[in-house]
Amino acid sequence: MVNWEKLTKSLTDHGFAVKRFATAQEAAEYINGKLDGKTIGIGGSVSVDEMGLYDMLQSHNTVYWNWGKMRSPETMKMADGAQVYLTSVNGLAETGEIINIDGTCNRVASTLYGHEEVVFIVGVNKIAPDAEAALWRARNIASPKNAQRLQRKTPCAVKGDKCYDCNSPERICRGLVTLWRKPMGIPAAEVVLVEEPLGY
């Protein structure tokens, strides 16, 4: 059971704006409503895909989504320079720490610096009691599932059970970012909490 009040207070105390929604549809409508006429970058996000956000946003914004057939060095570069960046997280602690693991590291880099605003989308399945549990979740649940999705030849993708801290050339866990507070290099950062599971 998530302690929503504790989580909201922790994130607010750490400098993040917070919105909470009962459903992914409500969250998607909120994000679509708040962003208009913007350039928007999105990394590889299962949560964004499940919410149908790209189709909603691209009708009245310029959206660069590094995903599927749209994935390219050019798209990634444009996403890196967008006004707003959308991303999910691999783990979020009720104590306020935001944890992401990345391979190319474009996604984690975009949460640190350079955008006018970053919006973190977090399904209830991503939330853990503390930073240690959130990191465990990121390494042992999110990363193996993402490696499987990307069809990587890594021990975690083959077995799907945990992180093996491998040295595989196809390893997707190459950078770890823990946000303790809102970065100074991001003028605005919002965490959108969803009381439904989203992504890995």
Side-chain angles (χ1 to χ4, degrees):
M1 179 73 76
V2 174
N3 187 333
W4 295 107
E5 289 70 27
K6 177 181 179 181
L7 174 58
T8 299
K9 184 178 187 308
S10 296
L11 289 169
T12 302
D13 288 349
H14 293 179
F16 296 94
V18 181
K19 291 285 186 181
R20 179 176 145 206
F21 299 92
T23 68
Q25 181 178 346
E26 291 171 336
E29 289 170 356
Y30 165 73
I31 294 168
N32 186 52
K34 74 172 275 181
L35 300 176
D36 183 55
K38 299 285 189 179
T39 56
I40 301 172
I42 311 173
S45 173
V46 174
S47 295
V48 167
D49 186 46
E50 290 176 349
M51 295 170 77
L53 264 175
Y54 174 76
D55 288 338
M56 296 172 74
L57 290 168
Q58 63 88 29
S59 67
H60 57 109
N61 297 276
T62 301
V63 184
Y64 304 104
W65 190 17
N66 196 42
W67 177 265
K69 293 179 180 178
M70 294 177 278
R71 183 178 177 88
S72 71
E74 293 75 21
T75 301
M76 187 182 299
K77 184 176 181 180
M78 297 302 288
D80 291 345
Q83 293 170 291
V84 180
Y85 197 81
L86 300 185
T87 183
S88 186
V89 307
N90 298 136
L92 171 62
E94 288 182 8
T95 46
E97 295 84 5
I98 298 172
I99 295 176
N100 268 317
I101 294 173
D102 206 354
T104 305
C105 294
N106 60 303
R107 183 172 59 97
V108 295
S110 281
T111 66
L112 295 170
Y113 182 82
H115 300 281
E116 294 176 9
E117 181 176 12
V118 175
V119 179
F120 299 89
I121 302 165
V122 187
V124 66
N125 52 315
K126 307 287 188 73
I127 301 169
D130 54 37
E132 183 179 0
L135 176 59
W136 185 93
R137 186 201 184 280
R139 293 190 68 182
N140 296 287
I141 296 176
S143 294
K145 288 185 176 182
N146 276 308
Q148 288 177 330
R149 173 177 64 86
L150 296 168
Q151 300 180 335
R152 296 302 179 94
K153 296 175 183 176
T154 60
C156 71
V158 172
K159 297 184 179 180
D161 58 347
K162 66 175 184 177
C163 173
Y164 288 84
D165 196 18
C166 71
N167 287 317
S168 168
E170 296 195 18
R171 175 178 172 138
I172 65 168
C173 300
R174 293 176 179 265
L176 167 68
V177 166
T178 300
L179 295 180
W180 291 312
R181 302 292 187 274
K182 182 186 80 65
M184 293 179 181
I186 302 289
E190 183 171 44
V191 180
V192 176
L193 302 171
V194 182
E195 296 178 30
E196 291 182 333
L198 279 173
Y200 305 145

